Amino acid sequence: MTYSKYGSNDVLELTEQPLPKVGPGEVRIRVTHASVNPVDWKVMSGGLDQLMDASFPVVPGWDAAGLVDAVGPDVPEFGTGDRVATYARKQVVSGGTFAEYVTVFATDVAAIPAGVDDDVAASLPLTGLTALRSVEALDLAAGDRLLVHGASGGVGSLAVQLAVAAGAEVVGTASERNHSKLAALGATPVAYGQGLEDRLRAVVPGGFDAVADFAGGVLDTTLAVLKDGGRHVSIADPAVTEHAGRWLWVRPDGPRLTRLLHLVAEGRLTVDIDRTFDLADLAEAFALSQQGAARGKLVLRIAG
């Protein structure tokens, strides 16, 4: 799937493109599954044009799983036929994962362990790496009280699981329809919206040691319920940096993705998948993502 100019879903086309070359330190992956993230259609609309150059036609998509098809010079880590997953964001928006083949640096690739299906592996890279780096940045200790804004989303639900595993007491904001999901993950659910600060104070009167914002528009609430000297991060609001917080932009990271995939294989981390689409139906998948109606990852089936 490609687009030749920025725009809405109607700029997407199913096209034939040249087989990507495999440079030094790179692997070429025959993609079996890829997953949709909101950033994919935001990039397509031109929303990141001030930050990243684009080379048209663009193949969108940053998450993928599949089989190593070829390796470039100096790639001892992988061989043809290896099952792998990757967060394939590049410095220039161009050759993405919504295609039969994608090339990426070997350092950005992780082997998929036995017991993890390709659709699950393809759903993990961006959300999982974002959640992991957020939890790491907060330096959680056992007994820390953590507030997660947007806790039932793709990033939030993984961050909740990682934080609970670290021994934190987690409170997560979500719509009421997702409260049972959060409770099952080990978090105390709280409804977002008007009166949120009061509801949070009722649950944790002494304030939170740390806050992770995966929703945006909640900085005032974060600052109101965060303890003095508390840590906070956001992936949605760079203004946190003006209040001793950290704004995170996840980067490709093969070793961290390997850790996440092994947590999935061991049953210690779960990834929710809402539904699977054929590659040609990408516009439909984007529309569902734009509506915010998905209750899990949206996966593209590229090849069998």
Side-chain angles (χ1 to χ4, degrees), residues 129-131 133-138 146-150 155-156 159 210-223 226 230-250:
L129 288 171
T130 303
R133 287 197 64 212
S134 299
V135 170
E136 288 177 342
L138 291 171
L146 169 69
L147 168 63
V148 178
H149 293 291
V155 177
V211 179
D213 168 27
F214 305 127
V218 292
L219 181 55
D220 288 345
T221 300
T222 290
L223 298 177
L226 186 66
R231 297 94 64 197
H232 63 116
V233 299
S234 177
I235 67 169
D237 189 352
V240 295
T241 59
E242 302 169 12
H243 301 274
R246 183 171 174 184
W247 179 46
L248 290 176
W249 177 273
V250 71

Side-chain angles (χ1 to χ4, degrees), residues 218-285:
V218 292
L219 181 55
D220 288 345
T221 300
T222 290
L223 298 177
V225 300
L226 186 66
K227 286 181 179 179
D228 289 343
R231 297 94 64 197
H232 63 116
V233 299
S234 177
I235 67 169
D237 189 352
V240 295
T241 59
E242 302 169 12
H243 301 274
R246 183 171 174 184
W247 179 46
L248 290 176
W249 177 273
V250 71
R251 57 190 178 218
D253 191 325
R256 279 187 171 87
L257 181 55
T258 298
R259 287 168 51 192
L260 291 165
L261 287 165
H262 279 279
L263 289 174
V264 174
E266 295 162 7
R268 298 162 59 193
L269 189 68
T270 60
V271 180
D272 291 331
I273 294 176
D274 183 290
R275 68 194 74 178
T276 301
F277 298 83
D278 291 329
L279 176 61
D281 297 324
L282 177 59
E284 183 182 349

Side-chain angles (χ1 to χ4, degrees), residues 39-237:
V39 72
D40 299 323
W41 45 265
K42 292 177 182 177
V43 169
M44 184 179 69
S45 72
L48 294 185
D49 187 57
Q50 292 185 333
L51 185 65
M52 303 179 71
D53 289 324
S55 177
F56 296 100
V58 168
V59 177
W62 288 347
D63 281 354
L67 300 172
V68 173
D69 168 73
V71 298
D74 194 25
V75 181
E77 304 97 320
F78 299 102
T80 303
D82 288 349
R83 294 180 64 231
V84 295
T86 185
Y87 175 46
R89 176 176 61 78
K90 302 173 182 178
Q91 295 304 105
V92 175
V93 177
S94 183
T97 60
F98 299 163
E100 292 178 295
Y101 296 91
V102 65
T103 55
V104 292
F105 284 114
T107 52
D108 301 341
V109 176
I112 302 174
V116 180
D117 293 336
D118 281 12
D119 56 348
V120 173
S123 300
L124 188 62
L126 187 153
T127 54
L129 288 171
T130 303
L132 180 57
R133 287 197 64 212
S134 299
V135 170
E136 288 177 342
L138 291 171
D139 192 24
L140 296 173
D144 277 352
R145 291 182 170 181
L146 169 69
L147 168 63
V148 178
H149 293 291
S152 66
V155 177
S157 60
L158 294 173
V160 166
Q161 295 176 69
L162 294 170
V164 169
E169 298 177 16
V170 182
V171 174
T173 68
S175 62
E176 291 188 3
R177 69 171 185 161
N178 288 314
H179 282 194
S180 59
K181 171 184 176 180
L182 286 185
L185 296 178
T188 300
V190 174
Y192 59 72
Q194 187 173 2
L196 174 58
E197 182 181 332
D198 291 336
R199 289 191 293 276
L200 292 173
R201 290 190 183 281
V203 174
V204 182
F208 291 87
D209 301 287
V211 179
D213 168 27
F214 305 127
V218 292
L219 181 55
D220 288 345
T221 300
T222 290
L223 298 177
V225 300
L226 186 66
K227 286 181 179 179
D228 289 343
R231 297 94 64 197
H232 63 116
V233 299
S234 177
I235 67 169
D237 189 352

